[in-house]
Amino acid sequence: MNNVVKKGFSRSDAIYSLKQAIDGGLIDGSVEADFSNTYYFDLHDITPAGHQFIDSILEDTYWNKVKKVLKEEGIPITVPSITRTIAKIFL
């Protein structure tokens, strides 16, 4: 998690994104938090849906189309919004 913070993302952004990826079925894993808001992640693997998600944004032109739609519609870039936009545009 420290490497993510060093690259310009806040710790809370990283936690939120990882929780969304788990909840969205992109990563096989679980997350728990204790009373002091310390998060514990148990990550196993990328799911088939996670691989499809990665494949769908690997080609730069696809990713640029997704970002353009999100920006035009004023939608924040999150795992669920990216997934919905990919489905809307390409499926």
Side-chain angles (χ1 to χ4, degrees):
M1 192 74 68
N2 291 333
N3 289 339
V4 172
V5 174
K6 287 179 187 175
K7 294 199 184 255
F9 296 94
S10 72
R11 187 173 193 79
S12 62
D13 287 340
I15 290 169
Y16 174 80
S17 296
L18 193 49
K19 286 171 52 182
Q20 289 295 311
I22 292 168
D23 291 346
L26 302 177
I27 296 176
D28 179 25
S30 61
V31 60
E32 293 183 23
D34 63 18
F35 291 113
S36 67
N37 272 341
T38 299
Y39 288 88
Y40 301 92
F41 292 93
D42 184 18
L43 307 175
H44 303 283
D45 206 347
I46 298 173
T47 66
H51 283 285
Q52 286 178 325
F53 176 79
I54 291 168
D55 288 343
S56 70
I57 63 171
L58 277 180
E59 190 170 323
D60 191 43
T61 57
Y62 293 149
W63 178 231
N64 287 331
K65 287 179 186 177
V66 170
K67 288 190 298 184
K68 180 181 176 188
V69 169
L70 291 171
K71 184 177 180 180
E72 287 173 351
E73 296 183 9
I75 300 170
I77 296 177
T78 63
V79 172
S81 69
I82 293 168
T83 304
R84 283 190 302 271
T85 304
I86 289 169
K88 178 178 159 183
I89 296 173
F90 301 111
L91 302 180

